[in-house]
Amino acid sequence: EKGGYDHFMLKEIYEQPSVIKDTYRGRLHANKGMIQMAGVEDNIDKFTNANRILIVACGTSWHAGLVAEYIFEEFSRIPVEVEYASEFRYRNPIIYPDDVVIAISQSGETADTLAAIKLAKEKGAFVFGVCNVVGSSISRETHAGAYTHAGPEIGVASTKAFTTQITVLTMMALRLAKAKGTMNTSDYQRYLLELELIPEKVEEALQTNEVAKMIASIYKSAPNCLYLGRGYNFPVALEGALKLKEISYIHAEGYPAAEMKHGPIALIDEHMPIVVIAPKQNHYDKVVSNIQEIKARSGKIIAVVTKGDTQVRALADHVIEIPDTAEALTPLLTTIPLQLLSYHIAVMRECNVDQPRNLAKSVTVE
Ligand code: M6R
């Protein structure tokens, strides 16, 4: 049932090229310049008239929500707020009837997310679900939704659910950009074509497995690890850190790279590994200077870079290369080597990768 893999987590990491394709199949029509998602189409006015999108989720799904915040704001120019469902539900949040609430949940059973949905509905908002499990409680409680087609995710550490959630949310943002006229036609078309190419690029990103394993063998005993990213890849840093702590029990934190100088840089010495997500995009030069600041303090840099990169390579202790893509789609690729790195570290530390201590696959308690 693990399809020849040692763990469900590894199987699920390797399924990503095909499940991302399953998720956009029948929805993304790059050659026609079209995106069709029934749940969005049927409610297109709700989305185009929304003054605000509120995203509620927990854990990895919350990280997908953060990536979506950057994408929705950039593509569709709608203000987005992302909240932990557990905070949202207990703080008498301001919700307007013309808010669109998007709830993201792999299992569709997370108690806090479900409660947040009920609250938003009571206040008259339109609630849209992005779930993986068909017929789950959240998929039934929401007014409309779009399923991710990741297939069953058994490993407690979420992997393929994350990348398929981002795929769905990106298609939604593109569809809204078209409806609202907030993106120029050539960028829109380029994004459709780039999204269609993501499965094969994820396949290529999976070839980082050997280098991820080699790096894992060097840092497997580290007590701490930092993850840094900027822009679209800041949430990927958070997700990388969550994956490491949850399955390997190494303390890890994700930070926006520029926040280092406001405190965390004090942690850096020659024993601290720092994973920097540094694809060749908008903030590249800024990330390069962040890396220089870390090297000046003898930190160990593991950098995720775009294939062919030379500048970061010259500074980093290790580089992991991923294929080039459009900036907003980089999280779908940068997250792959981070999943593999955590996986190998956990295996080398003889942790129970698929069922880490103290955790359950769906958190149905408050
Ligand atoms: O099923 P959900 O997406 O609602 O689950 C949310 C979190 O419990 C989940 O993402 C959790 O953080 C994972 N174990 C992370 O790998």
Side-chain angles (χ1 to χ4, degrees), residues 191-225:
Y191 265 103
L192 262 53
L193 291 168
E194 279 294 337
L195 189 56
E196 196 172 38
L197 291 175
I198 284 294
E200 57 193 75
K201 292 186 177 180
V202 170
E203 195 74 65
E204 206 181 320
L206 286 166
Q207 289 166 21
T208 60
N209 187 48
E210 285 310 312
V211 48
K213 198 169 174 178
M214 185 276 288
I215 296 170
S217 70
I218 299 173
Y219 297 101
K220 61 177 191 288
S221 303
N224 295 289
C225 187

Side-chain angles (χ1 to χ4, degrees), residues 57-63 104-111 113 130 138 153 155-159 161 165 239 242-243 246-247 356 359-363:
C58 304
T60 290
S61 297
W62 183 76
H63 295 152
I104 309 172
S105 176
Q106 186 286 128
S107 63
E109 302 298 341
T110 302
T113 310
V130 176
I138 293 177
E153 192 182 62
V156 164
S158 188
T159 53
Q165 285 163 346
E239 172 59 10
L242 174 59
K243 220 87 301 175
E246 126 179 92
I247 60 170
L359 289 172
K361 184 62 185 163
S362 8
V363 183

Side-chain angles (χ1 to χ4, degrees), residues 48-104:
T48 53
N49 294 329
N51 284 321
R52 190 169 68 142
I53 294 176
L54 290 171
I55 298 181
V56 292
C58 304
T60 290
S61 297
W62 183 76
H63 295 152
L66 286 180
V67 174
E69 172 181 16
Y70 284 80
I71 297 180
F72 273 110
E73 292 201 346
E74 179 67 24
F75 290 10
S76 350
R77 306 307 293 163
I78 304 175
V80 178
E81 280 170 43
V82 190
E83 296 225 32
Y84 285 117
S86 55
E87 286 297 316
F88 180 84
R89 63 177 290 203
Y90 288 119
R91 65 172 185 82
N92 190 16
I94 299 168
I95 308 169
Y96 300 107
D98 53 5
D99 282 339
V100 166
V101 174
I102 301 178
I104 309 172

Side-chain angles (χ1 to χ4, degrees), residues 342-355:
S342 302
Y343 171 77
H344 288 299
I345 290 179
V347 170
M348 288 170 191
R349 290 167 68 95
E350 296 177 13
C351 296
N352 188 344
V353 172
D354 285 333
Q355 282 193 302

